[in-house]
């Protein structure tokens, strides 16, 4: 197996396009790879990229979020600009079929609006186990989920995870998986929320997020020094559970899509500086994080 093949497979894009919260990021990375690396890679790696892109097109009807639709459209444009004629025609066919299937799914959902939905308190309980990016993603699925994802307590939990310090009574303790928050912290948060009923934690989180210019809050990718690979991040930690168990202090370098392309091409990763394009993308991610669509066609 060539180095480029191994590096591409370690990116985990094949699995990522099957997960609703990673689908938009995976499509964006694939589009960057098409633009910046596809023509420079061996044919076997090009074939893997092409197959993963077709899979992303086919899975679009299952995603049904505005971020997924815009990301896969960007991927289609990049693929169309780079692929040879035969593969381009296949990509166009798959993309058009996916768009038709998406419209049918959306129409079917609209006709089933009277069907039974999960109660809001159940949704809120489920959403407590999501990280920041996933919480924002589920809020764009439909109005019912949007309402549940805007729950004040959920955003208090997120604030505790990202902004609490050792002197704060809301200090968070998260398991290595980055998923399950301990019951003790939840009790502290509930007591504090009862004493501060007027705090809008979503707006408080938003203000702290923008005020601190924390690019890392929207980072889904990083280079793990222990894994020696580009990995997916869960709450800024390597998603590799074995890495989390072995190493308490993880060596994570946050990466932009452009840096992922450089990694694929075996270019040295710039660990000390960031480009202007990275800054621009950070500004876009800040605005997109808080911009819920006015009309969701779901």
């Amino acid at each position: 197996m060539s180095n480029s093949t191994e590096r591409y497979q370690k990116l985990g894009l094949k699995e990522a396009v099957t997960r609703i919260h990673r689908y938009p990021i995976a499509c964006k990375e694939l589009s960057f790879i098409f633009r910046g690396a596809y023509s420079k890679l061996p044919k076997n790696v090009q074939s893997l990229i092409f197959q993963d892109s077709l899979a992303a097109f086919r899975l679009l009807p299952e995603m049904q979020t505005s971020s997924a639709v815009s990301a896969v459209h960007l991927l289609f444009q990049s693929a169309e600009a780079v692929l040879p004629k035969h593969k381009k025609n296949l990509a166009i066919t798959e993309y058009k079929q996916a768009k038709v299937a998406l419209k049918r799914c959306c129409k079917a959902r609209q006709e089933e609006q009277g069907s039974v939905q999960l109660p809001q308190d159940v949704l809120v309980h489920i959403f407590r186990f999501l990280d920041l990016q996933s919480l924002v993603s589920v809020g764009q699925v439909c109005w019912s989920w949007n309402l549940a994802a805007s729950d004040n307590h959920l955003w208090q939990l997120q604030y505790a995870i990202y902004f609490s310090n050792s002197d704060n009574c809301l200090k968070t303790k998260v398991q290595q998986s980055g998923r399950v928050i301990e019951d003790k912290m939840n009790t502290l948060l509930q007591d504090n929320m009862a004493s501060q009923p007027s705090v809008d934690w979503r707006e408080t989180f938003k203000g702290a997020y923008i005020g601190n210019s924390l690019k890392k809050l929207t980072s889904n990718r990083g280079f793990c020094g222990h894994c020696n690979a580009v990995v997916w991040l869960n709450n800024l930690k390597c998603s590799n559970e074995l890495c989390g168990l072995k190493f308490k202090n993880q060596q994570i370098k946050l990466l932009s899509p452009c840096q992922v392309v450089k990694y694929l091409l075996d270019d040295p990763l710039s660990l000390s500086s960031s480009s202007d394009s990275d800054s621009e993308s950070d500004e876009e991610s800040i605005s997109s994080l808080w911009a819920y669509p006015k009309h969701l066609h779901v």
Side-chain angles (χ1 to χ4, degrees):
M1 184 183 295
S2 67
N3 289 337
S4 56
T5 303
E6 184 178 357
R7 283 194 297 272
Y8 179 77
Q9 291 179 339
K10 283 184 176 180
L11 291 179
L13 294 174
K14 182 177 181 179
E15 180 185 3
V17 296
T18 65
R19 301 187 178 186
I20 189 171
H21 63 291
R22 288 180 177 168
Y23 181 89
I25 301 100
C27 287
K28 183 177 180 181
E29 285 189 6
L30 283 168
S31 67
F32 271 76
I33 290 171
F34 269 117
R35 297 283 186 176
Y38 185 82
S39 60
K40 305 172 186 177
L41 293 169
K43 289 190 178 296
N44 62 324
V45 182
Q46 290 182 353
S47 179
L48 293 174
I49 295 169
F50 178 65
Q51 292 302 323
D52 288 347
S53 299
L54 293 184
F57 296 151
R58 296 181 188 122
L59 290 167
L60 176 61
E62 300 178 19
M63 303 305 163
Q64 299 190 29
T65 63
S66 58
S67 58
V69 173
S70 59
V72 78
H73 180 65
L74 178 64
L75 171 58
F76 171 69
Q77 288 181 320
S78 299
E80 190 179 28
V82 174
L83 290 173
K85 185 175 180 180
H86 176 63
K87 289 186 175 181
K88 182 191 299 185
N89 291 336
L90 288 176
I92 291 173
T93 300
E94 289 288 353
Y95 180 71
K96 287 183 176 179
Q97 290 177 349
K99 293 284 285 184
V100 171
L102 176 64
K103 289 181 180 179
R104 289 174 178 170
C105 289
C106 291
K107 185 178 180 180
R109 281 206 170 190
Q110 290 173 353
E111 293 173 351
E112 295 174 0
Q113 285 181 349
S115 60
V116 177
Q117 295 183 352
L118 287 175
Q120 286 291 301
D121 58 336
V122 175
L123 288 173
V124 171
H125 177 75
I126 294 172
F127 292 171
R128 288 171 60 222
F129 299 98
L130 301 179
D131 59 16
L132 175 62
Q133 285 293 322
S134 301
L135 182 61
V136 173
S137 295
V138 298
Q140 299 184 45
V141 172
C142 63
W143 289 117
S144 176
W145 286 28
N146 185 301
L147 181 62
S150 300
D151 181 80
N152 204 39
H153 187 205
L154 293 181
W155 286 98
Q156 188 177 19
L157 294 177
Q158 292 296 331
Y159 187 93
I161 290 172
Y162 286 100
F163 299 112
S164 294
N165 54 46
S166 58
D167 298 324
N168 196 323
C169 67
L170 297 180
K171 180 172 62 176
T172 182
K173 187 176 182 181
V174 182
Q175 289 186 2
Q176 289 298 327
S177 63
R179 288 282 180 179
V180 183
I181 302 173
E182 290 193 349
D183 291 338
K184 183 177 179 181
M185 188 201 75
N186 289 334
T187 302
L188 289 172
L189 289 173
Q190 289 170 359
D191 293 343
N192 187 271
M193 186 170 65
S195 64
Q196 298 183 15
S198 61
V199 175
D200 186 335
W201 285 102
R202 185 172 182 273
E203 287 301 315
T204 302
F205 184 98
K206 179 180 176 180
Y209 171 89
I210 296 175
N212 287 280
S213 299
L214 291 180
K215 163 186 172 182
K216 65 182 181 180
L217 290 181
T218 54
S219 293
N220 294 277
R221 284 295 212 176
F223 184 85
C224 178
H226 298 301
C227 297
N228 194 31
V230 173
V231 297
W232 291 100
L233 301 180
N234 290 331
N235 285 334
L236 310 182
K237 294 185 178 182
C238 176
S239 59
N240 185 336
E241 293 184 3
L242 293 178
C243 178
L245 293 173
K246 287 183 179 179
F247 306 102
K248 207 168 187 180
N249 297 320
Q250 297 184 3
Q251 301 174 4
I252 301 294
K253 161 62 184 174
L254 304 180
L255 300 180
S256 68
C258 290
Q259 290 172 308
V260 172
V261 173
K262 289 181 179 180
Y263 165 81
L264 184 59
L265 293 173
D266 201 22
D267 286 347
L269 290 172
S270 176
L271 300 179
S272 59
S273 63
S274 59
S275 64
D276 293 338
S277 60
D278 291 340
S279 300
E280 291 175 2
S281 63
D282 293 341
E283 293 176 2
E284 292 175 2
S285 63
I286 287 175
S287 61
S288 63
L289 180 61
W290 307 109
Y292 287 103
K294 293 182 179 179
H295 302 286
L296 295 177
H297 302 291
V298 178

